[in-house]
């Protein structure tokens, strides 16, 4: 994963757009559609933010949608 994550990302997008990754202890959404669905549904997806989230998505992206 560290040397070349792109084949893994491609496989996730194809086979499991939302997947539990045990090594990261986290669910990962790997497609734009899955990410947007989660971001638009605060009732069912009420998770908090983390430093990684802010690095990837920017600060509090939900308030701008």
């Amino acid at each position: 994963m560290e040397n070349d994550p792109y084949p893994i990302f491609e496989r996730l997008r194809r086979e499991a757009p939302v997947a539990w990754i045990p090594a990261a202890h986290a669910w990962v959404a790997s497609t734009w559609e899955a990410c947007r669905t989660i971001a638009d549904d605060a009732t069912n997806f009420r998770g908090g933010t983390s430093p990684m989230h802010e690095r990837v998505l920017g600060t509090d992206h939900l308030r701008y949608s």
Side-chain angles (χ1 to χ4, degrees):
M1 181 77 174
E2 285 183 31
N3 294 329
D4 186 10
Y6 299 106
I8 293 169
F9 294 154
E10 181 180 341
R11 183 175 177 193
L12 282 171
R13 285 190 300 269
R14 185 177 60 248
E15 297 178 17
V18 178
W20 173 252
I21 307 297
H25 302 284
W27 287 93
V28 173
S30 59
T31 65
W32 173 255
E33 181 178 329
C35 291
R36 191 66 193 170
T37 298
I38 291 166
D40 287 342
D41 188 352
T43 300
N44 292 306
F45 300 100
R46 296 178 38 172
T49 61
S50 70
M52 173 61 86
H53 175 254
E54 291 180 7
R55 278 200 331 254
V56 173
L57 299 174
T59 57
D60 196 7
H61 68 284
L62 291 176
R63 94 180 121 179
Y64 300 109
S65 54

